[in-house]
Amino acid sequence: NAGVTQTPKFRILKIGQSMTLQCAQDMNHNYMYWYRQDPGMGLKLIYYSVGAGITDKGEVPNGYNVSRSTTEDFPLRLELAAPSQTSVYFCASSGVDSSNSPLHFGNGTRLTVT
Amino acid sequence: QQQVKQSPQSLIVQKGGISIINCAYENTAFDYFPWYQQFPGKGPALLIAIRPDVSEKKEGRFTISFNKSAKQFSLHIMDSQPGDSATYFCAASRTGGKLIFGQGTELSVKP
């Protein structure tokens, strides 16, 4: 049982490039989330999804896009990367909403934009 | 009103000592208060959680204390061990809402 799998683990982008961060879970969870973690700032919610075909913005959605075509996968797309998007990105899932069920996190993608 | 403020930012404790991390919130609608533990290179994992119908919850060496009137809650780690060295995040949400995380505390337990 792999849980939540994120790829890649590390990536360096040049300003203006685009990329997709992949996230897959094998727990049949309906809820999936993308967070970014910056030093001293905690975890900030970028986007979340309550099921296939349904996505919504979190606290810091600007510069990102998501899609949820299957229950298992929740990719995060960065268009026109900027230095402010240098961060560690975590994908998470939960069986029901996060106020009633633990979040299961992947091991993160460390992204540097130069 | 959506913020959760966590302190200290970093903490060094001797093995066997007590580690205490504090969090404060503003939104009185919050009714779920979890703590997550994160080891280097890993994602956070739920450690312990409390709801405001109790003032304290204990699981092994980890205890959450909750003060509803002061809008504060804290994590106490008794008999701290080097294996407890990690980053700890408090969080809060209302039922059905999304978790708001604190800024994180980097705990180092010295042998």
Side-chain angles (χ1 to χ4, degrees):
Chain A
N1 192 341
V4 178
T5 302
Q6 291 185 239
T7 55
K9 292 183 179 178
F10 304 95
R11 183 73 186 266
I12 299 174
L13 279 182
K14 295 189 183 301
I15 294 171
Q17 287 185 322
S18 301
M19 76 163 294
T20 299
L21 282 68
Q22 300 292 343
C23 175
Q25 53 94 5
D26 61 0
M27 296 173 283
N28 202 31
H29 284 170
N30 284 323
Y31 288 71
M32 295 189 75
Y33 313 80
W34 274 105
Y35 288 90
R36 59 177 289 170
Q37 181 178 5
D38 301 294
M41 300 294 290
L43 293 150
K44 299 295 185 185
L45 182 63
I46 304 171
Y47 270 95
Y48 66 97
S49 168
V50 301
I54 306 170
T55 63
D56 208 347
K57 297 178 180 179
E59 299 173 79
V60 291
N62 292 342
Y64 307 95
N65 276 300
V66 293
S67 60
R68 183 97 181 270
S69 57
T70 67
T71 298
E72 295 78 19
D73 299 300
F74 190 40
L76 178 71
R77 178 83 177 163
L78 279 70
E79 305 282 3
L80 298 174
S84 61
Q85 293 177 306
T86 293
S87 187
V88 181
Y89 292 85
F90 286 98
C91 179
S93 71
S94 61
V96 292
D97 73 82
S98 56
S99 67
N100 287 292
S101 173
L103 291 177
H104 297 263
F105 284 88
N107 286 330
T109 295
R110 183 175 294 274
L111 175 68
T112 302
V113 182
T114 62
Chain B
Q1 264 218 331
Q2 288 292 91
Q3 279 191 322
V4 176
K5 295 183 180 179
Q6 183 174 345
S7 63
Q9 189 171 356
S10 62
L11 182 61
I12 300 174
V13 173
Q14 290 297 122
K15 179 182 175 181
I18 302 173
S19 304
I20 302 175
I21 304 170
N22 300 298
C23 285
Y25 63 97
E26 292 290 327
N27 190 339
T28 55
F30 287 159
D31 59 3
Y32 176 64
F33 304 91
W35 285 88
Y36 279 77
Q37 180 188 53
Q38 182 183 31
F39 292 107
K42 301 294 185 183
L46 180 65
L47 181 64
I48 187 173
I50 197 169
R51 295 196 185 271
D53 53 342
V54 296
S55 60
E56 186 175 283
K57 182 174 181 179
K58 184 176 181 179
E59 290 185 3
R61 296 183 294 106
F62 299 89
T63 299
I64 298 179
S65 297
F66 182 77
N67 186 330
K68 188 173 181 179
S69 60
K71 292 185 285 186
Q72 295 176 348
F73 58 110
S74 59
L75 177 69
H76 295 234
I77 306 174
M78 312 300 288
D79 186 26
S80 298
Q81 299 297 312
D84 297 330
S85 297
T87 299
Y88 293 82
F89 293 96
C90 64
S93 76
R94 57 175 178 80
T95 298
K98 299 296 165 282
L99 284 175
I100 305 296
F101 283 88
Q103 294 81 1
T105 296
E106 191 171 341
L107 171 66
S108 178
V109 182
K110 299 299 185 186

